[in-house]
Amino acid sequence: MTEQQLPEGWKMVKFGDIAKHISKRVEPSETDLEVYVGLEHLDPDSLKIKRHGVPSDVSGQKLLAKKGQIIFGKRRAYQRKVAVADWDCICSAHAMVLEANSKNVIPEFLPFFMQSDVFMEKAVAVSEGSLSPTIKWKVLAEQKFVVPPLDKQMDLVKLYKVVTDAEEKSLTFYDAIHQLYRRLREKLISEITAKSKLSLGDIGFTFGGLQGKNASHFNEDGNAMYVSYMDVFSSQVISKGDFSRVMVSPGEAQNNVKTGDVFFTVSSETPQEVGMSSVLLTENLDRDLYLNSFCVGFRPDTNKVDIRFLAHYLRSSFFRKELRKLAQGITRYNISRKELMKCPINLPDISTQNFIAQKLDNAYDALNDAKNRSSVNGKLKIRVISDSLKV
C-alpha cells in the first residue's frame, strides 16, 4: 500500500521515526539501582514486569532503563517480550531500551503498537542468527510501518486499556491459583519420607534429541511434529496438540518419543531455564513425534514411579535446586546426559506417589482452567490491537 492509498491522517513511517534507541551501559557492581530485569523476568505479550532480580545477580555490562521506557527482548523476538519499566533499573544487554518520539507518536501508544502482530512479525523477520536470532537496531529502525494520526492513537489507547484491564484481571486470578498450587506442591513434596534417595539413573534412561533442523520424520503431507525447547520450558505437562509442527526437508527418522517420556532443557543462557522439564501425557498420537535438539529425553521405569507424580516433582524447588547444581558454564549453562542421571530424587513408595499425584492433579486442573481463561483474554487483546492497525 502506498502513502497515497492510506486513510486520511495515516502515515507510513520508519520505526526509527517513532522510537528512540537508548543505549547507556551500566556496570552492575557500580550502580545504586536496586532492580535488574532480565529477559527471563518478562512475560510474553504482557507490558507488566511482575518479577525481577537485583544487580548483584549478574555481572558484565547491562543497560540502563528509566521509568516509563520500553524494554524489548531483541534476542528471540518470537517470544514477544515487550514491557514498560515501572522504576529506574538495569536490564539485560539482550534487550533494547526504547522510548517514544513524542513528535510522531503518543508515548502510551508505542508499547501497545509493539505488541501488534504487524510489528512482531517484522521484528522476527529481520532477526539474524539461528541459535539465538537477534535484532540489530539499525535494521529495525529502517523498517516501515503504517501508523494512525495522533487523535486516532489517543482513541486506540483507551480501547487497548479496556482489553488489557480484562486480561490483567484474568492473569491476577491465574497467578493466585498458581501460588496455591505451588504451595501445595512444595508442602506435599517436602513431607516425603523415603528410606533412601535415588538418582534419576536408578529409575530410567536418557535419549538425545534430533540434531539439526532437517533431522526429522515425515508423513505423506511433509509435516514433522516434534517437542521443542519452548514446548518444554512453557509447560510441565505436554498434551496432544501442544507440540510444534514445521515444514522441513526429509531426514533420518530416530528418537521418537512415547507417552510418559520426560523432557529436559539441557542448554540455556540462564541457570533458571536449564533443566526445566515436561512430561508427555497424551495417547493415540496420529503420527510419530520427536524430540528436538537442546533437549534430552528421559524414559522412566513405570514400575518404580507414577508418571503423574514425576510431572509435579520435577518442577518442585527441591529437585530444581539439585539439578541447577549440575549446570556448568559461564555465558551458557549446560547439563550433560551423564550429569543429569546423577541428580538425586527422593522417591516414596508407589501408593504415596499415587496419593500426592491425585492431590496435585486436582490443583493443576484448576490452574489450567485459569490459564486457558487468561490465554483467551490475552489473544483477544492482541487481536484487538492488531486489527485496529489494519488499513
Side-chain angles (χ1 to χ4, degrees):
M1 178 177 289
T2 64
E3 290 199 57
Q4 291 76 19
Q5 297 172 309
L6 293 176
E8 183 179 356
W10 289 66
K11 295 180 180 180
M12 181 81 72
V13 299
K14 292 181 179 179
F15 188 67
D17 293 331
I18 61 174
K20 300 177 183 178
H21 183 220
I22 312 299
S23 184
K24 185 171 182 180
R25 303 276 172 169
V26 177
E27 288 288 346
S29 60
E30 298 174 1
T31 183
D32 292 329
L33 297 174
E34 299 178 350
V35 174
Y36 165 71
V37 177
L39 296 189
E40 67 274 15
H41 299 128
L42 304 183
D43 293 320
D45 289 325
S46 176
L47 297 180
K48 296 285 187 180
I49 302 175
K50 300 176 182 177
R51 57 193 179 279
H52 59 78
V54 294
S56 59
D57 291 338
V58 292
S59 60
Q61 285 191 335
K62 305 302 175 188
L63 297 175
L64 174 66
K66 294 287 189 176
K67 182 178 179 179
Q69 291 179 335
I70 300 168
I71 300 175
F72 169 49
K74 67 178 181 179
R75 175 165 287 189
R76 297 175 182 164
Y78 56 82
Q79 295 181 347
R80 303 177 65 103
K81 294 187 174 184
V82 181
V84 179
D86 289 325
W87 355 250
D88 291 353
C89 61
I90 63 172
C91 69
S92 169
H94 296 314
M96 285 184 189
V97 177
L98 307 172
E99 65 180 24
N101 182 344
S102 56
K103 293 181 180 180
N104 299 319
V105 69
I106 294 174
E108 288 181 287
F109 176 78
L110 183 60
F112 287 116
F113 173 81
M114 292 178 66
Q115 286 191 308
S116 70
D117 289 339
V118 65
F119 174 81
M120 283 297 177
E121 288 170 3
K122 189 67 69 69
V124 172
V126 300
S127 298
E128 300 176 12
S130 56
L131 179 58
S132 297
T134 303
I135 303 170
K136 293 179 180 178
W137 166 250
K138 289 183 178 180
V139 176
L140 182 61
E142 292 298 313
Q143 302 308 306
K144 293 184 177 181
F145 299 94
V146 175
V147 297
L150 296 181
D151 58 343
K152 178 67 172 179
Q153 291 179 29
M154 293 179 64
D155 291 338
L156 290 177
V157 166
K158 294 177 182 177
L159 172 64
Y160 299 159
K161 286 183 176 180
V162 170
V163 293
T164 298
D165 183 58
E167 180 202 25
E168 288 298 327
K169 287 179 179 177
S170 64
L171 285 172
T172 298
F173 178 71
Y174 166 75
D175 288 340
I177 299 297
H178 197 189
Q179 288 297 320
L180 290 173
Y181 162 73
R182 290 182 63 181
R183 289 173 185 171
L184 178 61
R185 181 186 65 193
E186 299 305 320
K187 181 178 185 296
L188 291 175
I189 290 176
S190 68
E191 293 175 349
I192 292 174
T193 54
K195 293 182 179 179
S196 62
K197 289 183 180 179
L198 304 172
S199 66
L200 282 179
D202 294 322
I203 62 170
F205 64 90
T206 63
F207 56 91
L210 298 172
Q211 297 301 314
K213 294 181 180 179
N214 296 332
S216 295
H217 182 58
F218 273 73
N219 69 335
E220 62 278 2
D221 64 7
N223 284 323
M225 291 198 301
Y226 64 90
V227 178
S228 73
Y229 179 98
M230 287 308 299
D231 294 333
V232 175
F233 182 73
S234 61
S235 179
Q236 73 180 39
V237 173
I238 298 179
S239 57
K240 188 174 182 179
D242 288 343
F243 27 76
S244 303
R245 182 177 301 192
V246 292
M247 297 290 290
V248 289
S249 301
E252 181 183 357
Q254 56 178 320
N255 296 339
N256 56 310
V257 303
K258 300 178 180 179
T259 297
D261 283 350
V262 180
F263 314 120
F264 290 96
T265 60
V266 291
S267 182
S268 175
E269 293 168 352
T270 66
Q272 292 83 6
E273 291 187 11
V274 72
M276 291 298 284
S277 62
S278 285
V279 175
L280 179 64
L281 292 179
T282 187
E283 297 179 358
N284 303 320
L285 288 171
D286 57 3
R287 65 190 70 177
D288 289 340
L289 177 65
Y290 296 88
L291 180 62
N292 206 20
S293 56
F294 302 107
C295 297
V296 160
F298 174 71
R299 187 159 297 163
D301 182 346
T302 54
N303 293 317
K304 297 180 179 179
V305 62
D306 182 322
I307 300 302
R308 299 172 306 130
F309 167 82
L310 203 58
H312 301 290
Y313 183 91
L314 296 180
R315 289 263 178 149
S316 68
S317 61
F318 168 78
F319 183 81
R320 296 284 300 131
K321 288 177 183 177
E322 294 294 332
L323 196 60
R324 281 198 293 267
K325 294 177 184 177
L326 304 175
Q328 298 179 345
I330 300 175
T331 58
R332 191 168 189 88
Y333 299 86
N334 300 283
I335 300 177
S336 68
R337 288 167 61 180
K338 182 179 179 180
E339 289 299 310
L340 181 64
M341 290 300 91
K342 295 179 182 178
C343 193
I345 178 170
N346 201 2
L347 198 65
D349 61 78
I350 198 72
S351 62
T352 302
Q353 293 179 43
N354 296 156
F355 174 80
I356 293 176
Q358 185 60 55
K359 293 287 186 182
L360 293 178
D361 278 352
N362 292 336
Y364 192 73
D365 287 344
L367 177 63
N368 270 335
D369 288 342
K371 182 178 180 180
N372 291 336
R373 195 175 308 167
S374 66
S375 177
V376 168
N377 286 330
K379 290 177 181 178
L380 174 62
K381 179 194 71 174
I382 298 303
R383 189 171 71 214
V384 169
I385 293 174
S386 299
D387 288 350
S388 68
L389 297 173
K390 292 179 180 179
V391 294

